[in-house]
Amino acid sequence: MLKRSDPPLLSIDGLAVEFDTPHGRVRALDHVSFDIGAAEIVGIVGESGSGKSVTAYSILGLLPRKARVQSGSITYLGRSLLGLPESELKTIRGSEISMVFQSPQTALNPIRPVGAQISDVLRAHSPLRGRDADSRAIEALHAVRIQDPERRVHAYPFEMSGGMCQRSVIAMALACTPRLLLADEPTTGLDVTTQKATMDLLVELNRSRGMSTMFITHDLGLAAQYCDRVVIMERGRVVEHGPTAQIFSRPQHVYTRKLLSATPQGHDKLTDLIPASERQVFGPIRQLSEAAPMPDPEKEPVLSVRGLTHDYVLQKPPRILSKFMAPWHSRPEAAPTSFRAVDDLSFEVHQGECLGLVGESGSGKTTTSRLIAKLVKPSAGSIRLHGEEIADTDPRSFARSAKRRLIQIVFQDPASSLDPRRTAFEAIADPLLRLERLKRSEELERRIHGICDLVEFPQALLGRYPHQLSGGQKARVGIGRAISVNPALVVLDEPTSALDVSVQAVVLNQLDKLKRALGLSYLFVSHDLNIVRLMCDRVMVMKGGRIVEQATVADLFSRPQHAYTKALLDAIPRIEFGGEQAPISGFERSRLSAGAVPRS
Amino acid sequence: MQPSSSIVSHAARIVTLNWLSVAAVATVTILLLLAVFGPMLAPFDPYATDLGHVLLPPGRTHWFGTDQLGRDVLSRVIVSARLDLFIAVCAVTASFTIGVGIGGLSGYLGGAFDLWTSRIAEMLQVFPLFVLAMALVAALGNDLRNVILATAIVNLPFYVRLARVEVGVLSSQLFVEAARVAGNGDARIIARVLLPNVMPNLMIQLSVNLGWAILNAASLSFIGLGIRPPTAEWGIMVADGAAQAMAGNWWLVVFPGVALALAVFAFNLLGDALRDILDVRSR
């Protein structure tokens, strides 16, 4: 597959890019060099800010105006791409080199049918017009295995699922049979099963058309599974590159090793996610944790949920308007007026336990976490907190009751869960002021400093606003706020999904440590089974609002009972490279797993 | 948490980034000074007629010339600032307070309250604004209070709709839910979380609206439905001057007209400057 003697399709040599910012010039890329050979899949792996996307934008000449290429060259088939006039770049973009962007919903024009958007690309780069372009659009959709393409060609993006949107974007990118595809995190935001289907499709198209692919990802698992070669980037530099098997079995650079260990893959303990050299930071509280009591199933559970059900009422036209509306506007009587998001859930959370809740988007897991956190009142069922019924309490009055302190929540996105106009100090102080009736005093400051130490948030940063903090620091503020009032149960709603893997590794350890040190109980909501395996004691798998399987972590991962659980487990990207193991090419790997590809 | 001096220096930094902002702040400051100290600064009595010196062109004594009754145009332009700004500030304050209250509540509560207030705001907006203001003044009577009232009412829907949308978008943000989990009730969430976050955009609208309100009041006077002569007011002066301009006495219409245009322009530009100053993220 990999003939190194061939001249590379694309060659990047010593590329340096700088950005002009109000605070001076910032170097985004620093002497980046790598090649992409014909029919090769090259993974560009790195965390946020590593320069992966800037590299892709440089190739297509799509850098923002404030960016400047300082030095280096980008050569495509012997032709330098840097400094090409816009008119020539236009003919290359889309027809020779094309790109799949990160979020399919924003990459598609929301007010045009997908077929028309594919035809646009064809009209721009080929002599095809009218009917011919339209029938090629249908072929393109067919190629990405969208079922019933004759009908789907007229569909608008909002009428399709995330996975189908991403397939349409890929169809658009491939419509003019480019020789190089730049895929920028093409599966971020997709469910694992959809991700697997999309990646398998990309690899298959790549092999059948002999097209090269530059695959940008933050997920080492995906890179390991689908790429021929991997380029590891950190802060604008290439720290290591080589054949996939070599990188993963014998990583040379410290950063590669750190990334590898931070990626939850077959580790036995949470602490394994952090390189041994950095682990001693966790000294003091670690000792405390060993002494913490283990969950005791005999005692009364912290939280006991029975028959929890929630229906969303679908919007009806207001009565006042429907009176005036003509009959052609009225819904048929049979149309559903509500949607059951959570259906008859029963579970218990014991003292000191971490209960995982796993499911894909639309499974009802977020609704469940909001119900448990008392942000929404359930339609039916019982929620008992320390044996006391709280399901019927209205969330607004619950917010001012004494029990509000006992259930806290850490939200999914630390950026949007912090008030942009409040400092870190004010964010952590808020629950203390409201729920513990503390006054602004030295006592309050002492408490907040204590919380900072617990979540390892530097006290010096307390006066900063959220936009002045890093992702990991924001996550710590969010956690600090939740644990400040000594809750009994903390709902963790995908607390690390917005974080880089190395930050995630630290935050997860932190959460585990806090649980032991403070005797907390967690309801841990996540889509990532790898994390759940390390964090949780028991797991519930949710699908379509119902729990399809509930088991201990050991049982669920070794002996999954339900077919859906098996499909989820199967879709997790794996890093499987033994020390001396012969590398399996991406094509063979994708063929091996092709049987499991769910057809759209 | 931020000391106020840093906010001042931040504002100074933002404003000086853009010379238009400097010009806007300077013009608005001059207008405010004129409004406060105008009568003291005016070189002549703006109402004193001098039939010996009618329709003098701009010259050394009368910088902006005199009108058909011999009144000093410069003095009249200066004292007008107080009246026009007074109308604008009163009207906009009223529409801001009421509009943000109603709009914020309908964005937060939704439901029937939202439905009704939104429809009423839309009904007000379907009228051409100026025609609505004319109708109101004509119906209620031609005096200062009603000019303010009419100006306030035509501006009201903008605040209702803006506050409703801003609050509605914010309410679904996670940090609002976080505030509830932290034990905040409705009133506190509105006052301490939602309002501070919607204020920047509302302040921009406020500034732009001050300009519109001045224009609206002057326009009402221009067609004879607002402040009545002989009061010194830019709209009336432009109306009076328009008749004289045909005879070549251009200064009667140009100077008050330019003052009016500058005021409207300056308040609009100030809105842009405020947006940058109030955005905590640029700090």
Side-chain angles (χ1 to χ4, degrees):
Chain A
M1 190 86 348
L2 230 175
K3 293 194 205 84
R4 301 294 296 139
S5 53
D6 289 349
L9 183 72
L10 182 92
S11 173
I12 297 179
D13 191 24
L15 186 68
V17 173
E18 288 186 347
F19 278 73
D20 284 326
T21 71
H23 309 290
R25 281 197 186 162
V26 174
R27 183 150 276 214
L29 289 185
D30 199 1
H31 293 94
V32 169
S33 306
F34 62 86
D35 295 341
I36 298 176
E40 202 183 15
I41 302 182
V42 177
I44 311 290
V45 182
E47 297 185 294
S48 52
S50 60
K52 307 171 299 227
S53 296
V54 175
T55 308
Y57 290 144
S58 310
I59 295 170
L60 284 177
L62 290 174
L63 285 173
R65 202 168 294 173
K66 59 186 179 185
R68 202 164 299 142
V69 176
Q70 291 296 335
S71 61
S73 65
I74 301 176
T75 318
Y76 172 74
L77 289 174
R79 188 170 168 210
S80 172
L81 289 183
L82 290 177
L84 270 192
E86 184 62 25
S87 57
E88 281 183 56
L89 272 175
K90 251 186 208 158
T91 63
I92 292 177
R93 270 183 225 142
S95 64
E96 293 277 321
I97 306 176
S98 68
M99 187 152 177
V100 174
F101 291 93
Q102 202 168 86
S103 60
Q105 270 89 351
T106 53
L108 289 170
N109 182 345
I111 56 162
R112 297 205 68 189
V114 287
Q117 299 189 44
I118 297 173
S119 311
D120 287 345
V121 181
L122 290 167
R123 265 188 282 268
H125 294 291
S126 71
L128 292 175
R129 292 289 175 273
R131 282 270 170 80
D132 297 332
D134 291 343
S135 63
R136 267 290 279 283
I138 295 173
E139 276 172 43
L141 286 178
H142 187 73
V144 294
R145 292 209 222 99
I146 283 187
Q147 278 186 346
D148 201 359
E150 289 82 2
R151 202 163 57 82
R152 285 294 174 185
V153 83
H154 303 295
Y156 288 91
F158 71 88
E159 295 175 309
M160 308 198 299
S161 68
M164 273 165 60
C165 282
Q166 192 57 292
R167 278 158 201 249
S168 310
V169 172
I170 294 171
M172 217 159 112
L174 300 184
C176 295
T177 52
R179 302 180 67 163
L180 174 62
L181 179 72
L182 312 178
D184 188 358
E185 304 261 10
T187 59
T188 305
L190 300 182
D191 288 325
V192 273
T193 49
T194 321
Q195 163 173 292
K196 182 170 157 59
T198 310
M199 285 309 299
D200 288 342
L201 172 73
L202 264 181
V203 171
E204 194 189 304
L205 292 170
N206 167 283
R207 300 309 178 197
S208 61
R209 298 181 180 205
M211 174 185 73
S212 306
T213 304
M214 176 173 141
F215 172 56
I216 297 175
T217 184
H218 66 278
D219 187 332
L220 280 174
L222 281 180
Q225 193 167 348
Y226 292 101
C227 298
D228 300 315
R229 282 192 305 129
V230 176
V231 177
I232 309 275
M233 288 186 74
E234 183 198 16
R235 282 190 235 145
R237 291 164 183 271
V238 173
V239 296
E240 188 167 359
H241 61 104
T244 309
Q246 183 196 314
I247 294 273
F248 284 97
S249 56
R250 291 184 297 279
Q252 301 297 313
H253 197 274
V254 189
Y255 181 72
T256 315
R257 287 197 205 128
K258 186 176 163 186
L259 265 188
L260 260 175
S261 74
T263 306
Q265 281 283 344
H267 296 281
D268 296 325
K269 294 199 301 286
L270 261 182
T271 42
D272 292 347
L273 295 177
I274 297 167
S277 55
E278 293 172 27
R279 240 174 261 165
Q280 71 273 22
V281 185
F282 290 88
I285 298 179
R286 191 71 207 159
Q287 284 146 19
L288 236 171
S289 67
E290 309 295 355
M294 288 310 288
D296 180 5
E298 299 300 309
K299 265 174 64 180
E300 185 184 51
V302 175
L303 185 83
S304 166
V305 174
R306 288 282 165 272
L308 188 67
T309 299
H310 192 66
D311 296 323
Y312 283 111
V313 178
L314 297 180
Q315 218 147 47
K316 281 181 296 187
R319 207 157 40 101
I320 171 80
L321 291 186
S322 57
K323 249 187 221 167
F324 299 108
M325 273 186 189
W328 58 81
H329 249 114
S330 65
R331 289 161 183 270
E333 286 307 308
T337 52
S338 69
F339 163 72
R340 184 151 288 189
V342 171
D343 194 2
D344 196 20
L345 246 56
S346 298
F347 61 89
E348 281 165 1
V349 183
H350 292 275
Q351 163 74 37
E353 186 184 38
C354 180
L355 176 64
L357 177 57
V358 178
E360 301 195 305
S361 52
S363 63
K365 60 184 197 304
T366 301
T367 306
T368 307
S369 73
R370 288 164 55 85
L371 288 170
I372 302 300
K374 284 305 289 175
L375 285 164
V376 191
K377 192 177 162 185
S379 311
S382 123
I383 304 172
R384 284 169 182 274
L385 177 69
H386 289 311
E388 263 184 276
E389 182 61 54
I390 57 167
D392 299 331
T393 320
D394 180 72
R396 288 181 180 180
S397 51
F398 189 80
R400 274 165 295 171
S401 76
K403 282 185 230 103
R404 176 71 275 180
R405 185 182 70 80
L406 295 171
I407 304 179
Q408 290 291 309
I409 179 167
V410 175
F411 291 97
Q412 181 164 11
D413 182 1
S416 74
S417 65
L418 294 176
D419 187 336
R421 301 185 78 82
R422 286 197 187 184
T423 60
F425 182 92
E426 291 169 308
I428 301 175
D430 196 30
L432 288 169
L433 291 168
R434 306 260 53 84
L435 292 170
E436 297 214 351
R437 303 264 158 230
L438 278 182
K439 296 278 168 281
R440 294 192 175 270
S441 62
E442 282 178 22
E443 161 76 0
L444 177 70
E445 282 194 22
R446 228 184 0 261
R447 285 284 293 276
I448 288 176
H449 288 164
I451 292 158
C452 285
D453 292 344
L454 271 179
V455 299
E456 284 165 25
F457 180 80
Q459 292 183 9
L461 304 184
L462 277 172
R464 292 209 183 170
Y465 289 96
H467 71 277
Q468 297 165 324
L469 298 170
S470 73
Q473 287 163 349
K474 276 182 275 202
R476 287 190 166 89
V477 174
I479 295 167
R481 170 173 66 184
I483 62 152
S484 65
V485 287
N486 297 318
L489 176 75
V490 181
V491 178
L492 301 164
D493 187 0
E494 305 247 16
T496 58
S497 65
L499 303 176
D500 280 329
V501 277
S502 59
V503 183
Q504 165 176 284
V506 178
V507 170
L508 288 176
N509 271 286
Q510 196 109 57
L511 284 168
D512 188 53
K513 203 174 55 184
L514 284 170
K515 185 188 82 172
R516 292 159 195 262
L518 304 175
L520 302 170
S521 308
Y522 287 160
L523 177 64
F524 188 90
V525 180
S526 180
H527 68 280
D528 191 333
L529 282 163
N530 278 322
I531 297 176
V532 167
R533 193 171 65 86
L534 293 171
M535 271 299 285
C536 301
D537 305 305
R538 284 189 302 128
V539 196
M540 303 185 286
V541 179
M542 230 179 142
K543 183 175 193 278
R546 289 174 165 272
I547 294 176
V548 297
E549 188 164 358
Q550 185 168 182
T552 64
V553 164
D555 283 349
L556 190 93
F557 282 84
S558 56
R559 292 181 296 279
Q561 300 298 313
H562 197 276
Y564 180 67
T565 314
K566 286 177 192 157
L568 273 185
L569 287 171
D570 192 48
I572 306 174
R574 286 194 172 74
I575 305 175
E576 283 165 344
F577 292 102
E580 261 62 54
Q581 193 183 4
I584 311 170
S585 82
F587 183 46
E588 281 160 301
R589 258 178 281 131
S590 78
R591 271 219 305 221
L592 287 175
S593 57
V597 180
R599 308 286 159 182
S600 64
Chain B
M1 285 280 127
Q2 292 262 339
S4 61
S5 67
S6 85
I7 292 167
V8 172
S9 67
H10 166 74
R13 187 169 60 86
I14 294 289
V15 165
T16 48
L17 279 180
N18 183 347
W19 68 268
L20 273 176
S21 304
V22 180
V25 171
T27 314
V28 169
T29 313
I30 291 171
L31 278 171
L32 290 175
L33 289 175
L34 287 182
V36 177
F37 302 109
M40 285 180 241
L41 296 173
F44 295 91
D45 179 352
Y47 297 104
T49 54
D50 179 357
L51 295 178
H53 298 92
V54 294
L55 294 174
L56 288 182
R60 202 169 292 167
T61 329
H62 299 282
W63 291 1
F64 287 5
T66 59
D67 66 6
Q68 66 275 26
L69 295 175
R71 294 173 298 192
D72 180 47
V73 174
L74 174 63
S75 302
R76 288 175 68 77
V77 167
I78 289 176
V79 297
S80 294
R82 179 181 283 189
L83 181 60
D84 277 305
L85 276 183
F86 177 75
I87 296 173
V89 168
C90 287
V92 170
T93 308
S95 40
F96 181 83
T97 326
I98 299 168
V100 170
I102 295 174
L105 274 180
S106 69
Y108 189 71
L109 299 175
F113 182 79
D114 176 33
L115 181 75
W116 282 106
T117 51
S118 297
R119 294 302 87 77
I120 292 169
E122 278 157 19
M123 274 189 252
L124 281 176
Q125 276 198 309
V126 296
F127 289 102
L129 291 187
F130 190 61
V131 174
L132 180 62
M134 272 167 60
L136 283 167
V137 176
L140 296 172
N142 198 350
D143 62 19
L144 180 63
R145 201 192 58 189
N146 289 336
V147 170
I148 294 177
L149 190 67
T151 312
I153 288 176
V154 298
N155 280 327
L156 193 62
F158 292 103
Y159 290 104
V160 173
R161 298 186 63 153
L162 186 64
R164 173 180 172 272
V165 170
E166 294 270 329
V167 168
V169 168
L170 272 182
S171 299
S172 61
Q173 294 276 310
L174 288 178
F175 63 79
V176 177
E177 302 209 320
R180 196 179 292 292
V181 176
N184 294 277
D186 281 345
R188 192 168 271 275
I189 286 178
I190 292 175
R192 302 295 301 278
V193 180
L194 294 174
L195 276 185
N197 275 295
V198 300
M199 232 9 119
N201 283 347
L202 292 173
M203 293 309 285
I204 297 159
Q205 179 76 10
L206 183 96
S207 177
V208 172
N209 255 3
L210 275 172
W212 289 357
I214 292 175
L215 189 64
N216 191 64
S219 309
L220 282 174
S221 312
F222 181 84
I223 58 165
L225 268 175
I227 309 304
R228 271 175 291 198
T231 314
E233 199 276 340
W234 291 332
I236 300 170
M237 293 173 71
V238 173
D240 282 355
Q244 295 289 333
M246 300 299 174
N249 304 322
W250 53 270
W251 58 91
L252 292 181
V253 68
V254 165
F255 290 114
V258 166
L260 186 57
L262 269 181
V264 177
F265 193 51
F267 277 111
N268 274 292
L269 286 179
L270 185 69
D272 288 346
L274 274 178
R275 183 192 54 219
D276 298 337
I277 291 169
L278 293 172
D279 187 357
V280 73
R281 267 155 292 202
S282 65
R283 234 177 249 168

